[in-house]
Amino acid sequence: LAPSQNSLKQLLLSYNYIYELLNKENIVFSLLDVLDLSHNKLPWLSQDIMAARYAKTVDLSANQIVLIDKPLQFDAQTKINLSGNKVQCQSLDEFAKLNPSVKSVNPAYNKDPPGCTRKPGFSICCDSLSAPFADRLIESKRTQNSLLSGPTGPGAKANCTVDDARQQMISQMGSAISSVANEVQRLQKEKIQLTSEHQGLEQTVYQQRNQSFSVRQALLAAALNLNLDVDQDPSPVVLQKVIDRYEYLSKQEELERNKAVEDWNKYSTEIEHWLKEKDRLEPLIAKYDADISKANATMLDLATQKAVLAEQLKIRSMNG
């Protein structure tokens, strides 16, 4: 896990057979959000757990933890679940001084059995074991849970060998753990992808609902504008009524447009006829105007001659 110390977000190792934590390189997972070591076989909590000191959630419930090393101090925001263990009360009390969040555990995640001993102010149980007895119990748990039992008696060899069957078991378990880790990683990727798809679908559904609401409102407005009696929830029947009404109005408008076009064509033909007639009559009118002017000139000349003759007759009458 060392290469992922600056990128790991979740470390989910629940329901395994983990009996000891080792952090020889003092790795710290700076971006870790969740460490889940619940339902394992840890008999005590050592300094190695500080690899997850900045995690937001540390679940150590349902182990076999008896003692907690000191001093262990997580980040102030870290939520720690130690329910379902048998932590020695004094050890739990000292741990809680540096990590107050351990006192309160959500009841939904509290795995303590009913009727267990709780210190005042704590929602999890503790066990009033004496410290020496707790130390012996830890050692006993380590021996019980270890797959590789080391030499325990004074006559045991310092460098014991592991038989082939046990070595094969360890190898198989390592392969199984790797397979599970790979499967967990694959499932996490699928979960991220499915979450993204789910969010996309939710956004699509939200947009479609908005569009549906807009269409319904527009349909209601159209029905009211056409004086149609409709409910607040327009049905396909109402929609068909609106469509039929608009089609009828459209046909009426088309008939009126056709009549207007026909009248316009008729008036255009008449205008064209009168323009041609005007062109034909204008030369005649000009000729008649010229003849009238000539006739007027002739009449004026005759009137002058008449006046002269009348004057001459008058003179003759006077002389005669």
Side-chain angles (χ1 to χ4, degrees):
L1 295 175
S4 61
Q5 61 179 319
N6 294 321
S7 60
L8 188 65
K9 294 286 188 179
Q10 294 185 346
L11 186 55
L12 308 177
L13 297 171
S14 60
Y15 291 95
N16 282 286
Y17 205 85
I18 299 172
Y19 62 89
E20 189 171 11
L21 301 178
L22 294 177
N23 185 16
K24 296 180 180 180
E25 299 178 4
N26 293 323
I27 293 171
V28 176
F29 297 104
S30 57
L31 299 179
L32 189 64
D33 287 333
V34 177
L35 172 62
D36 188 354
L37 282 168
S38 61
H39 296 276
N40 278 286
K41 303 295 181 180
L42 294 173
W44 79 307
L45 208 55
S46 65
Q47 292 289 337
D48 300 287
I49 194 67
M50 286 291 92
R53 70 181 64 179
Y54 298 118
K56 295 179 181 178
T57 301
V58 176
D59 190 351
L60 297 165
S61 61
N63 275 272
Q64 299 176 3
I65 299 173
V66 177
L67 279 182
I68 302 174
D69 200 358
K70 53 184 179 180
L72 298 183
Q73 185 172 9
F74 289 85
D75 186 77
Q77 304 299 322
T78 303
K79 300 295 183 182
I80 306 170
N81 186 354
L82 277 172
S83 64
N85 288 282
K86 294 184 178 181
V87 183
Q88 197 250 355
C89 291
Q90 182 180 354
S91 182
L92 179 62
D93 194 29
E94 292 178 358
F95 179 74
K97 291 178 182 178
L98 298 177
N99 305 277
S101 68
V102 76
K103 294 182 179 181
S104 178
V105 175
N106 189 326
Y109 304 109
N110 194 323
K111 299 169 186 175
D112 283 327
C116 61
T117 303
R118 289 182 173 86
K119 289 176 63 66
F122 285 75
S123 64
I124 62 173
C125 299
C126 64
D127 202 330
S128 56
L129 298 171
S130 62
F133 181 75
D135 290 338
R136 291 196 301 272
L137 182 58
I138 289 175
E139 187 62 31
S140 174
K141 292 291 184 182
R142 281 182 172 175
T143 303
Q144 175 185 348
N145 296 326
S146 176
L147 291 176
L148 298 175
S149 299
T152 57
K157 295 182 179 179
N159 297 318
C160 63
T161 59
V162 182
D163 58 26
D164 293 340
R166 183 160 295 180
Q167 185 64 40
Q168 184 178 3
M169 182 186 300
I170 294 172
S171 178
Q172 291 174 353
M173 182 170 290
S175 299
I177 291 173
S178 298
S179 299
V180 170
N182 292 335
E183 181 66 13
V184 168
Q185 187 176 8
R186 184 186 67 81
L187 292 175
Q188 287 176 342
K189 289 181 179 179
E190 288 185 359
K191 180 181 178 181
I192 294 173
Q193 182 178 357
L194 290 174
T195 301
S196 177
E197 292 177 358
H198 177 70
Q199 292 175 349
L201 289 174
E202 284 186 341
Q203 184 67 21
T204 301
V205 169
Y206 176 76
Q207 293 175 353
Q208 290 179 349
R209 284 178 178 173
N210 287 341
Q211 292 175 357
S212 176
F213 178 76
S214 299
V215 170
R216 288 173 179 270
Q217 294 300 110
L219 183 57
L220 281 173
L224 294 175
N225 188 42
L226 296 172
N227 296 322
L228 296 176
D229 186 15
V230 297
D231 297 329
Q232 288 299 316
D233 187 13
S235 64
V237 176
V238 176
L239 177 60
Q240 188 61 47
K241 287 183 179 180
V242 172
I243 293 173
D244 293 342
R245 182 62 177 170
Y246 273 118
E247 286 182 350
Y248 171 76
L249 294 176
S250 177
K251 289 180 181 178
Q252 291 297 111
E253 291 179 357
E254 185 177 0
L255 290 175
E256 292 179 0
R257 284 197 302 269
N258 291 338
K259 186 176 183 304
V261 170
E262 184 180 351
D263 292 342
W264 171 254
N265 291 334
K266 179 180 177 182
Y267 295 148
S268 297
T269 302
E270 291 181 358
I271 290 172
E272 185 178 356
H273 169 73
W274 289 115
L275 287 175
K276 289 181 180 179
E277 190 67 17
K278 177 186 175 185
D279 293 339
R280 186 183 68 81
L281 292 175
E282 280 182 348
L284 295 176
I285 292 172
K287 181 177 179 299
Y288 292 152
D289 287 342
D291 291 343
I292 290 171
S293 297
K294 184 178 180 182
N296 287 334
T298 301
M299 288 179 65
L300 182 60
D301 185 51
L302 290 174
T304 302
Q305 291 179 8
K306 179 181 177 182
V308 171
L309 289 175
E311 185 65 27
Q312 289 177 357
L313 288 174
K314 182 179 179 181
I315 293 172
R316 286 180 181 180
S317 297
M318 291 177 62
N319 293 330

